[in-house]
Amino acid sequence: MKHVQLTLIGLILVLTGLWASADTIWFDAFAIFNFRTSMLNYTGILAIGAMSVGMLLALRPRGRIESFLGGLDKSYRLHKWLGITALITAIAHWLWVEGVKWAVGWGWLERPARKGARPVYEGLQGWLAGQRGLAEDVGEWAFYAALVLIGLALIKRFPYRYFFKTHRWLAVVYLVLVYHSVVLMKFSYWTQGIGPVVVVLLSGGTVAALISLTRRVGQTRRAVAVVDEVEYHEDNRVLRVAVSLQSRWPGHQAGQFAFVTLDPREGPHPFTMSSSWKGDGKMFFLIKALGDYTNTLPATVKVGDLVQVEGPYGRFSFQGRHPRQIWVAGGIGITPFIARMQSLCEQPDGKAIDLFYSTSAPDAEFIRRVRRRAEQAGVTLHVVIAAEHGRLTAQRIRELVPAWAEASVWFCGPTGFGQTLREDWVAQGRSPDDFHQELFEMR
């Protein structure tokens, strides 16, 4: 997560430094209206800069970017915080516009008298000056739209199927704000260091917005599959969906996930592959009924259905320097570990592994299969049923794994549970880099 924080802070600091070196606020005598102009430019640059990087991350980039951030789940966490940053700075931008107007209207400030005629500009600067009125108007309405759309995206109770549709409209809002920014940014900035950086950000964000609007995000990573098998474990409300790929798939590693479209009206949802890749086009997913959509799947997914699989994504790779690993699965968080155990059955890695499977809704048949897979893979399984054994704690893990200090931890499950374990891990003097966690919250 530190790379997510460093990227966000770094972006703000770079844009702040470039703006500070280009603006004349430091040399002009202080006047509230001149200061207001500088703050408008500053907050506007921060807002459009954050939105631009957020648009680029919406393309679900892989390779070095995904590796640096620690996986697509971490990229989406950065995407979320960029959206919050853009929202806060855009509100500040709007307040500098309207707040001074209010202060003048209330008699708190006096607008300075205009000295002489307005300057007449030629060429590009003249054209931009002629666009100011329109750019201000459309920018204001785009701000209101962004306020609503980003706000909805941050409300977790807002249904995903509506979020999936409304969030795409942010690309249109972004394009309007690009026009607003190009026209209204102080013209002298374009010849300073901030100018080329803004050009790169706006150009990249514009391309990303167009890709999003034409629904081509992840297009080259999509494969068509047919549902081969559907099995529902009623006790723990987990649906097993096995599919056969009908088009090219690059393969995947245990712990990775894909965006699966079971219903085009609902859109793609991220699910972890619960099977290792054997090159035969077969894979399966374990899907927990956690919301409106996943609750309907046992009744709607049928053998023979066509589905779309996009991926693979993620860096939950089980790679590390330690001779021992501790796996902790909370509920449906067992899925990446099932895939890894299948992989270990075919190619052991020699590590000593303890798997803690904590569940509040045990299914006897499901647990029997997990236990059998663990035995085949040489993994020591600890099943913790909340109603019988109480909650799984870090202290209990350390008691059951005396050599815990020689291990790395791989956690997949509820965010709060993971945070508690991570804090205890660090409090015991261990490095947070040896605690690996998959973030399922994509919004």
Side-chain angles (χ1 to χ4, degrees):
M1 287 296 291
K2 66 180 181 181
H3 286 175
V4 171
Q5 297 166 347
L6 288 174
T7 302
L8 179 60
I9 295 171
L11 175 67
I12 294 172
L13 291 178
V14 167
L15 292 179
T16 298
L18 291 172
W19 164 81
S21 66
D23 201 82
T24 60
I25 187 175
W26 321 106
F27 310 107
D28 297 337
F30 178 81
I32 186 61
F33 286 91
N34 291 339
F35 184 75
R36 174 208 191 200
T37 299
S38 293
M39 289 298 101
L40 283 173
N41 281 285
Y42 175 54
T43 53
I45 287 171
L46 288 184
I48 199 64
M51 285 194 74
S52 297
V53 178
M55 289 301 306
L56 290 168
L57 290 178
L59 296 181
R60 301 200 270 268
R62 295 193 298 181
R64 292 183 180 179
I65 295 177
E66 187 183 15
S67 296
F68 174 76
L69 294 174
L72 186 66
D73 56 321
K74 311 301 189 301
S75 297
Y76 269 88
R77 178 60 59 88
L78 176 57
H79 176 84
K80 173 183 176 179
W81 280 105
L82 285 166
I84 293 172
T85 301
L87 184 63
I88 293 172
T89 51
I91 291 173
H93 183 80
W94 179 81
L95 286 174
W96 276 110
V97 173
E98 300 297 331
V100 173
K101 291 181 181 177
W102 296 336
V104 171
W106 296 333
W108 295 357
L109 289 176
E110 184 176 346
R111 188 179 298 275
R114 183 174 298 167
K115 298 179 181 179
R118 285 181 177 271
V120 178
Y121 302 106
E122 297 181 352
L124 177 60
Q125 188 173 5
W127 182 84
L128 291 174
Q131 297 289 310
R132 291 188 66 88
L134 177 61
E136 289 173 352
D137 290 341
V138 298
E140 181 179 1
W141 287 106
F143 162 73
Y144 298 141
L147 190 67
V148 173
L149 293 173
I150 296 176
L152 289 175
L154 294 174
I155 300 174
K156 294 182 180 180
R157 290 183 177 273
F158 186 62
Y160 182 89
R161 62 182 177 276
Y162 299 131
F163 158 79
F164 171 71
K165 296 174 182 178
T166 58
H167 204 58
R168 185 179 290 116
W169 286 106
L170 269 173
V172 176
V173 172
Y174 172 79
L175 293 175
V176 174
L177 291 174
V178 167
Y179 166 74
H180 172 84
S181 302
V182 169
V183 172
L184 296 178
M185 193 171 84
K186 193 173 181 179
F187 192 77
S188 63
Y189 286 1
W190 296 110
T191 58
Q192 304 295 316
I194 190 68
V197 173
V198 170
V199 168
V200 170
L201 289 173
L202 297 186
S203 298
T206 297
V207 171
L210 294 175
I211 291 174
S212 177
L213 288 172
T214 53
R215 304 191 180 188
R216 292 187 290 120
V217 174
Q219 185 177 38
T220 60
R221 306 165 201 152
R222 299 174 189 167
V224 176
V226 175
V227 176
D228 282 341
E229 180 185 349
V230 179
E231 181 182 8
Y232 185 54
H233 296 272
E234 190 169 352
D235 288 346
N236 62 358
R237 301 172 66 203
V238 171
L239 180 70
R240 182 181 187 274
V241 180
V243 303
S244 292
L245 295 162
Q246 304 298 300
S247 53
R248 182 181 176 278
W249 180 255
H252 60 268
Q253 296 179 343
Q256 290 189 297
F257 65 92
F259 285 91
V260 183
T261 303
L262 296 165
D263 181 352
R265 295 171 298 181
E266 178 71 19
H269 281 251
F271 297 123
T272 300
M273 272 86 73
S274 302
S275 53
S276 62
W277 179 247
K278 299 181 180 180
D280 58 359
K282 303 286 188 180
M283 67 172 67
F284 70 87
F285 301 89
L286 296 174
I287 304 171
K288 174 80 170 182
L290 294 173
D292 293 341
Y293 171 65
T294 49
N295 274 316
T296 66
L297 293 181
T300 57
V301 178
K302 302 290 188 299
V303 172
D305 286 352
L306 286 177
V307 301
Q308 181 178 275
V309 183
E310 178 198 325
Y313 297 104
R315 289 292 185 271
F316 199 70
S317 61
F318 297 97
Q319 303 302 311
R321 57 188 174 86
H322 297 279
R324 176 179 289 275
Q325 292 184 348
I326 298 172
W327 299 351
V328 182
I332 196 58
I334 190 68
T335 51
F337 302 115
I338 291 176
R340 180 58 176 167
M341 287 191 293
Q342 185 179 21
S343 178
L344 289 174
C345 289
E346 301 161 7
Q347 188 176 355
D349 65 0
K351 295 182 185 296
I353 301 171
D354 287 84
L355 167 59
F356 290 84
Y357 173 39
S358 176
T359 177
S360 58
D363 183 287
E365 175 60 20
F366 187 87
I367 292 175
R368 186 185 69 80
R369 293 185 184 183
V370 173
R371 192 179 300 280
R372 182 178 62 188
R373 182 68 72 189
E375 291 173 354
Q376 294 170 343
V379 172
T380 302
L381 176 66
H382 310 267
V383 178
V384 181
I385 300 173
E388 299 177 16
H389 310 118
R391 296 175 65 87
L392 178 62
T393 64
Q395 181 178 350
R396 185 172 183 182
I397 293 173
R398 291 196 299 273
E399 291 173 352
L400 292 173
V401 186
W404 64 270
E406 302 172 5
S408 58
V409 176
W410 298 80
F411 174 86
C412 190
T415 303
F417 183 22
Q419 184 63 31
T420 300
L421 292 182
R422 177 187 288 273
E423 290 173 356
D424 180 90
W425 178 258
V426 174
Q428 298 300 319
R430 306 299 296 163
S431 169
D433 293 337
D434 293 329
F435 190 101
H436 308 272
Q437 181 176 359
E438 186 87 307
L439 301 176
F440 276 106
E441 295 181 355
M442 294 294 182
R443 49 181 293 204

